[in-house]
Amino acid sequence: DRATSADFSGLTGFARWVWKPTGRLELQTSLSRDISQDAGFLRLDESNNLQSGTDFAQTTNELALRAKYDLTGKVALTGGLAYTKRRLVEGFTGAVGRDSTVAGEVGFVWSATRTISAGCGAGRESRSGSGTGTADYDADRVNCFASITLD
């Protein structure tokens, strides 16, 4: 209740457009504007006095493009590109930061049966930021998954 600097009043929403130009290819475009969760924390300042603060992305805007191509009846290639822009506000002091992130990924999914699937992917994420609550960040990532759905 005390962290009022990050209060937000405005428009939020999500829109997605899915286009299937062929039986094997699916393209998705999404646009979102949202507020994020805030988190409170305690820290020590330079004089070892206990200070409280918040970490809050006041607004997050994202444009994402995703593609899926069914290589066979069981294997699909996937890919995506997203651009995210955030406005960060420290809830007690009102200090502001901004950052933007570009992320891309490619991968595949193997649908062994109707209820069992597995896949892997690789991607890169790069963030540039200024002000309070953000920092520049670059990362490469690789992930794999397996899924069993119980009906």
Side-chain angles (χ1 to χ4, degrees), residues 21-81:
T22 70
R24 293 181 176 229
L25 180 62
E26 177 180 295
L27 303 171
Q28 290 186 26
T29 304
S30 63
L31 182 62
S32 68
R33 178 178 171 87
D34 201 1
I35 58 174
S36 297
Q37 300 294 321
D38 76 281
F41 60 92
L42 299 174
R43 64 179 169 80
L44 294 175
D45 66 12
E46 299 83 27
S47 304
N48 283 332
N49 295 318
L50 194 59
Q51 301 289 318
S52 63
T54 61
D55 179 16
F56 194 85
Q58 188 182 43
T59 55
T60 301
N61 302 309
E62 181 180 77
L63 172 64
L65 308 170
R66 289 181 174 60
K68 177 183 164 196
Y69 181 77
D70 292 329
L71 196 57
T72 69
K74 293 190 177 276
V75 177
L77 302 177
T78 61
L81 185 62

